[in-house]
Amino acid sequence: MRTPERPGWHRDMYGVTADLGFAHTPRMAIKVAHYLTPVTGDCGLTMFLPGSHLLTEEPRILAGAADPIGALTPELKDGDAVLFENRTWHASGINLSGLPRIALMLQYGYRWLQPVDAPATDLLADPALSPIERQLVGMPDRNPDGSLAKGAGAAPLRSWWHSME
């Protein structure tokens, strides 16, 4: 649970901040949060800090508080979705409903971005997977030496598509 000691506020940086600095992190991805369980006032929806994509430093959280000034929980109804970019500061809300809150988080961004969630390395190691199956479970766009191989991860599906023409 979020507390003043562990507020949980973050933005999705994908390792870029270490290279470019906090103030120079570009917009690289758009995320969509869609809640699969009923939306109620106490279900703990994701909170956002409006305008925080423009901040050049971390938002200030007052002593004893868990949220920065101006943070809000969007007013959603069942079936609604929230779109936000990687630089927007957000945190998990506190679920007081006594029921699980299940959300589907989708992200659209450049293929070469470091995955937000842990990759399915155990699946990628399965020799029985076809190249297309490997692409669908997250085969990275990398050469064997770790360098970027732009578009390589999409090659299996692209090749199949062209073979169907």
Side-chain angles (χ1 to χ4, degrees):
M1 180 182 279
R2 288 186 325 102
T3 65
E5 296 75 34
R6 293 177 37 122
W9 284 90
H10 66 283
R11 62 184 197 171
D12 302 323
M13 307 306 267
Y14 315 108
V16 173
T17 298
D19 296 331
L20 300 178
F22 190 96
H24 305 291
T25 299
R27 179 179 51 237
M28 297 181 294
I30 300 294
K31 291 181 84 172
V32 178
H34 177 68
Y35 298 92
L36 303 176
T37 49
V39 172
T40 61
D42 61 353
C43 71
L45 297 176
T46 303
M47 297 180 68
F48 298 94
L49 182 58
S52 61
H53 64 292
L54 301 174
L55 293 178
T56 57
E57 58 187 41
E58 290 190 27
R60 188 168 151 241
I61 299 176
L62 299 176
D67 303 318
I69 294 173
L72 58 81
T73 301
E75 293 184 25
L76 301 177
K77 300 181 305 271
D78 289 345
D80 287 350
V82 178
L83 283 74
F84 60 102
E85 64 158 277
N86 61 283
R87 299 177 298 175
T88 302
W89 283 84
H90 57 286
S92 177
I94 298 173
N95 184 353
L96 301 173
S97 71
L99 301 170
R101 178 199 46 145
I102 300 172
L104 178 62
M105 292 285 198
L106 301 172
Q107 175 178 286
Y108 176 78
Y110 296 107
R111 284 188 51 85
W112 48 262
L113 288 174
Q114 176 67 31
V116 175
D117 296 316
T121 52
D122 55 331
L123 291 174
L124 287 172
D126 184 346
L129 289 181
S130 72
I132 290 176
E133 289 169 326
R134 289 177 52 78
Q135 176 184 340
L136 293 174
V137 296
M139 181 173 64
D141 283 346
R142 299 284 174 190
N143 291 313
D145 67 357
S147 62
L148 182 64
K150 188 175 181 184
L157 193 55
R158 187 172 39 247
S159 295
W160 171 82
W161 180 257
H162 289 305
S163 75
M164 302 303 288
E165 295 179 326

